[in-house]
Amino acid sequence: MPYIADEHRRPSSDELRARIPGWGADLDPADRPSVPRERTDLPTGAHWVIPENQPELQPRERSIEHAKLPPVFGTSAPLHGVSGVVRRYAYERFSEARAAHWLLLIVGDRIDVAGSRVRSVFEGQPDNPITETGIRAEFGNHPIGSRFGRGRADTKHAWIDPLIVIGPTALATVAVALIVRGLRR
Amino acid sequence: MKAMVYRGPYKVRVEEKDIPKIEHPNDAIVRVTRAAICGSDLHLYHGMMPDTRVGSTFGHEFIGVVHEVGPSVQNLRVGDRVMVPFNIYCGTCYFCQKGLYSNCHNVNPNATAVGGIYGYSHTSGGYDGGQAEYVRVPLADVGPSIIPDWLHEEDALMMTDALATGYFGAQLGDIVEGDTVVVFGAGPVGLFAARSAWLMGAGRVVVVDHLDYRLQKAREFAFAETINFTEVNDVVVELKKQTDWLGADVVIDAVGAEADGNLLQHITAAKLKLQGGSPIALNWGIDAVRKGGTVSVMGAYGPLFSAVKFGDAMNKGLTIRTNQAPAKRQWPRLLEHIQAGRLSPRDIITHRIPLEHIAEGYHLFSAKLDDCIKTVITTD
């Protein structure tokens, strides 16, 4: 009978305890380490009030929602080139609340990718679309059996994915070619 | 050293990079012995997370051996075998003092919403990750823990994110005895969330996905009932039908930004990046949970807006709980579960590949070839 709360088809606790390893071991919320959500009695191993400042060897971009540069940060890929200009503008001008902040960062990402393609050629490590896409994993890993006859939802959009992924780059390439041709004339 | 390097959407390669240096007095350099590819790494791989820079190294699930320590490190020594939580955090800021390690305010200049995460774009602090032979571990006195001798290295690896996050997802559901729990997503985190729901006393656990091999794993590993959403006309109606038309008590979104199930959402979000992610799983969760129920979200979403059905959430009186997992808070209890035989996290690992073949590893996982559920990267 629908709409009656106690009509749920649930096995008894004893039945579940017998069937599921460890069933109910954390029934008491006290045994769930993140309950309550906020706790102030956890030792962390920190022996500072605030960590020492990591040296800022080159200007480090930061969100304008931070009052100052936090003491610790990553430096895996410092800003550089045109993408660096776009990204720096996104950080200096717009808070995280603004769509422009994130959209500019995405634009910076695309410029970064395009620039890195060209740079990699001059650095003697040109990008290789075969090895870098991992397409060789198709061999020996059931490329057809994994995809077809299984009702996968993602096969419905698989046909359009390459167009969407490669399309903007292709359009940009055509646009640049047209501009260059126009300038030559 | 060899390291995975991002070259743009759907493209990665292994490059020679300099071994990372001590950049802060409390840094350690860890020689990575095992790393994993996480489902959320695919968001980076697919170019979904803003400020993912070419040349960066991914990987926030890794274990290894301490290779070098900075002058202020007190709790680790060279040679220690350590597991490193995916969160980077200081331990003393306003948020860390409250145990909100994933929200540390002292480690991520690029954003304030999220703390630091290894190898997870500059949006998460710009740190290189562990899919490499060596990795810089900042604030080494706070994050890493020495791996107990009895713990299998692959179980330790799963503790660094997937297991801790899955367990956290169940915690966010505030499960009480007998609850009906629905988990969207049968990837590693969803499997661990489903298994954890039983530990917390769930009465029923239902896992929803569109990949049969993952649903089979959900039945075998997580003892769950399963629904393949491509085999039912409307998954929300099916879930209502199976819960006496009331809805589930708790829904866990273990899918995040690249949910399948709606072509328009997939194209505008996952492909064109016009939303922070396609919120299909989240919206199904809001619809499928009962009024007054709880929706737990630890599937990863990007910082842009997403078209979430918040009106329904408001009208149904839902509690929506979210966060990145504070992984290290879970470890003592998870170790007890593993030692007692209640959990064997490494059972979900399906593929092990050397670092040199990481491009193939990403493609394998992204394209869901060969019944791939979890891929581990070996560096030796």
Side-chain angles (χ1 to χ4, degrees), chain A residues 7 10 13 23 26 32-33 39 47 52 54 61 63 66 73 75 77 91 127 132 138 142 146 157, chain B residues 7 13 23-24 51 53 98 108-109 141 167 175 177-178 199 202 244 249 260 329 333 337 363 370:
Chain A
E7 285 294 316
R10 289 171 177 148
S13 299
W23 183 87
D26 291 340
R32 305 172 190 172
R39 281 178 61 178
H47 43 83
E52 288 181 61
Q54 181 177 329
E61 72 283 0
S63 165
H66 272 301
F73 48 85
T75 53
Y91 282 110
D127 283 278
E132 291 176 11
E138 294 285 334
H142 309 101
S146 296
H157 58 74
Chain B
R7 297 297 304 169
R13 71 185 182 196
E23 297 184 43
H24 180 277
D51 210 356
R53 299 183 188 174
K98 295 176 183 299
N108 180 4
D141 280 327
Y167 188 86
I175 295 165
E177 185 170 355
L199 296 174
D244 292 340
D249 299 294
D260 272 307
R329 274 181 71 172
R333 186 61 175 158
H337 286 319
H363 182 76
D370 198 32

Side-chain angles (χ1 to χ4, degrees), chain A residues 109-126:
Chain A
D109 288 354
R110 299 299 170 260
I111 295 171
D112 190 13
V113 170
S116 71
R117 293 272 178 278
V118 177
R119 204 166 45 250
S120 68
V121 173
F122 290 103
E123 289 171 351
Q125 271 197 306

Side-chain angles (χ1 to χ4, degrees), chain B residues 148-310:
Chain B
D149 287 338
W150 58 266
L151 185 64
H152 192 285
E153 61 179 8
E154 289 183 338
D155 285 339
L157 178 61
M158 294 300 101
M159 300 257 292
T160 61
D161 179 5
L163 174 61
T165 297
Y167 188 86
F168 183 65
Q171 284 178 324
L172 291 180
D174 280 335
I175 295 165
V176 298
E177 185 170 355
D179 271 354
T180 294
V181 179
V182 169
V183 181
F184 281 101
V189 171
L191 293 171
F192 286 136
R195 188 69 184 265
S196 301
W198 291 122
L199 296 174
M200 295 170 198
R204 288 179 70 195
V205 177
V206 183
V207 174
V208 179
D209 201 289
H210 68 106
L211 295 160
D212 280 332
Y213 74 90
R214 301 211 303 186
L215 291 170
Q216 186 181 338
K217 193 75 172 178
R219 291 189 289 273
E220 292 167 0
F221 175 80
F223 312 104
E225 301 167 48
T226 57
I227 296 176
N228 184 326
F229 69 77
T230 66
E231 293 175 359
V232 295
N233 186 41
D234 183 321
V235 69
V236 170
V237 173
E238 181 62 28
L239 284 165
K240 289 279 172 71
K241 202 186 292 181
Q242 293 195 18
T243 52
D244 292 340
W245 301 96
L246 299 175
D249 299 294
V250 175
V251 167
I252 300 171
D253 171 2
V255 177
E258 293 187 86
D260 272 307
N262 180 299
L263 191 60
L264 186 64
Q265 290 272 26
H266 179 83
I267 290 173
T268 59
K271 289 295 182 295
L272 297 178
K273 285 80 177 170
L274 297 175
Q275 297 188 54
S278 67
I280 300 165
L282 181 53
N283 284 337
W284 281 350
I286 288 169
D287 281 331
V289 76
R290 69 167 167 82
K291 283 173 266 196
T294 300
V295 177
S296 151
V297 187
M298 40 63 199
Y301 288 89
L304 272 167
F305 69 90
S306 297
V308 175
K309 298 182 69 174
F310 201 75

Side-chain angles (χ1 to χ4, degrees), chain B residues 309-337:
Chain B
K309 298 182 69 174
F310 201 75
D312 281 358
M314 185 272 167
N315 284 318
K316 291 177 74 171
L318 303 187
T319 299
I320 298 179
R321 294 191 65 195
T322 69
N323 209 345
Q324 299 273 0
K328 197 170 176 180
R329 274 181 71 172
Q330 326 290 15
W331 286 0
R333 186 61 175 158
L334 290 176
L335 285 171
E336 287 175 18
H337 286 319

